[in-house]
Amino acid sequence: MDKRILIPTDFSKNALKAVRYALDLYRKLNCEFYFLNVFRVENYSTTTLTIPEPGSAEYENAKLKSEEEFAKLLEMVALHHDNPKHTYHTISTFNYLSEALKQTIAEKDIDLVVMGTRGATANREIIFGGNTVNAMEKIRDCPVLAIPPDISFKPPAEIVFPTDYKTPFKRKELKYLIEIALMHGSAIRVLYVSKKANLSQLQQNNKNLLGEILMNVTHSFHSLSEKDVSDGITLFVASRDSDMIAFINHKHFFFGSVFSRPLVKELGYDATVPILALH
């Protein structure tokens, strides 16, 4: 198999959009898809001190409901996304979503997590909204692709890659971005947002290195003189009708503070295009 992709779902329409996007994005590759549902048990939650025991009526009923929803999901996939290159697995569990993600990524050797930025409710505290942002920030073992609601798949013609050029680039960090670009003939638009137009020697060296790494992909370099990084990216994407944003979430470079705090939250909650968080 070329890819192992994990897709958490609460079976909402928004979560279904994320499933469809992932299946279409990787339709050309041999993939194993793992659908994960963190189910709820009546009168219990992951915040209560008591935990329902497997085998109890409440637990088994909730698990059965999850499995029945999975059966419907797999029917939809077979009907609309019949692809001999893809195989599917389902996981139903009572757990914290963050723990279930971490455990499944490790046990199944997951390459990519795909999540909707909204679940069954627009409430930021319910399962998806906040958890998708947390996943983009905290999952370090594989990239996370966040799919906003109301997105229908179209091959990404243009992917915006914001950077400050302050950290040297590594080919393995950009592997998934380049792979998507090559699969769909996408152009990568490298975006530098800063009040300082001139680059330091270190930044220029890193820019040159990035150009070498992207040499087999259509790409171009752009800069914006904008005080707010978030506004600059948003304006750039909107003005060009770009199809995706990708960024490397380094802990200790400016995305680690400016980007992954307010900006990932802004983009994660109010995204209009898919966001690929690379690590």
Side-chain angles (χ1 to χ4, degrees), residues 27-60:
R27 69 181 181 276
K28 297 177 183 178
L29 291 190
N30 294 314
C31 296
E32 285 190 70
F33 288 92
Y34 291 84
F35 301 122
L36 170 69
N37 175 241
V38 175
F39 62 81
R40 296 171 178 272
V41 178
E42 197 170 339
N43 299 325
Y44 294 91
S45 75
T46 48
T47 58
T48 61
L49 295 177
T50 54
I51 298 174
E53 290 291 327
S56 67
E58 298 94 337
Y59 183 97
E60 296 303 326

Side-chain angles (χ1 to χ4, degrees), residues 5-9 15 18-19 22-23 33-36 112-115:
I5 298 173
L6 174 60
I7 310 178
T9 179
V19 170
L23 297 183
F33 288 92
Y34 291 84
F35 301 122
L36 170 69
L112 173 73
V113 175
V114 181
M115 298 178 70

Side-chain angles (χ1 to χ4, degrees), residues 15-274:
L16 182 57
K17 288 274 183 82
V19 170
R20 287 177 163 171
Y21 191 97
L23 297 183
D24 284 333
L25 185 68
Y26 284 95
R27 69 181 181 276
K28 297 177 183 178
L29 291 190
N30 294 314
C31 296
E32 285 190 70
F33 288 92
Y34 291 84
F35 301 122
L36 170 69
N37 175 241
V38 175
F39 62 81
R40 296 171 178 272
V41 178
E42 197 170 339
N43 299 325
Y44 294 91
S45 75
T46 48
T47 58
T48 61
L49 295 177
T50 54
I51 298 174
E53 290 291 327
S56 67
E58 298 94 337
Y59 183 97
E60 296 303 326
N61 285 338
K63 186 176 182 183
L64 178 61
K65 186 176 178 183
S66 172
E67 290 169 349
E68 288 172 346
E69 291 293 336
F70 269 137
K72 295 177 189 175
L73 174 62
L74 293 177
E75 281 180 21
M76 182 283 297
V77 168
L79 186 62
H80 298 287
H81 296 271
D82 186 24
N83 188 336
K85 291 179 177 286
H86 293 172
T87 56
Y88 308 102
H89 310 271
T90 62
I91 302 169
S92 298
T93 182
F94 180 84
N95 202 344
Y96 294 101
L97 179 59
S98 57
E99 284 301 311
L101 287 170
K102 183 178 176 182
Q103 183 176 339
T104 308
I105 289 168
E107 290 179 357
K108 305 300 183 185
D109 192 23
I110 295 298
D111 295 298
L112 173 73
V113 175
V114 181
M115 298 178 70
T117 59
R118 289 283 191 280
T121 170
N123 187 331
R124 297 183 177 187
E125 302 305 317
I126 303 297
I127 296 297
F128 274 72
N131 282 304
T132 304
V133 171
N134 288 338
M136 283 194 288
E137 290 183 307
K138 294 177 182 176
I139 290 176
R140 314 301 302 181
D141 297 321
C142 66
V144 177
L145 178 61
I147 311 299
D150 306 321
I151 285 284
S152 294
F153 178 80
K154 63 174 181 175
E158 182 169 285
I159 303 171
V160 176
F161 180 70
T163 178
D164 65 358
Y165 298 123
K166 289 183 179 177
T167 303
F169 298 97
K170 296 174 183 167
R171 293 178 190 277
K172 63 182 180 180
E173 293 174 326
L174 296 164
K175 180 177 74 170
Y176 287 89
L177 172 60
I178 292 171
E179 182 180 78
I180 291 170
L182 290 174
M183 270 194 298
H184 297 284
S186 315
I188 297 174
R189 307 305 181 193
V190 181
L191 177 63
Y192 175 63
V193 182
S194 176
K195 279 293 183 186
K196 296 179 181 178
N198 296 326
L199 300 179
S200 68
Q201 188 59 55
L202 172 66
Q203 288 175 306
Q204 187 61 52
N205 291 343
N206 290 333
K207 181 180 178 180
N208 294 342
L209 174 60
L210 180 58
E212 292 175 18
I213 293 172
L214 298 178
M215 65 181 297
N216 294 324
V217 183
T218 301
H219 66 279
S220 57
F221 294 93
H222 305 263
S223 60
L224 277 180
S225 178
E226 185 72 42
K227 181 173 68 174
D228 186 88
V229 177
S230 170
D231 288 346
I233 296 170
T234 303
L235 287 169
F236 187 83
V237 169
S239 68
R240 300 177 61 91
D241 197 22
S242 305
D243 303 295
M244 185 181 290
I245 298 169
F247 68 94
I248 298 175
N249 189 15
H250 285 141
K251 279 186 174 179
H252 42 260
F253 103 126
F254 93 109
F255 288 145
S257 54
V258 177
F259 197 83
S260 80
R261 274 286 136 206
L263 190 52
V264 161
K265 283 180 167 52
E266 245 178 85
L267 295 175
Y269 288 128
D270 304 315
T272 56
V273 298

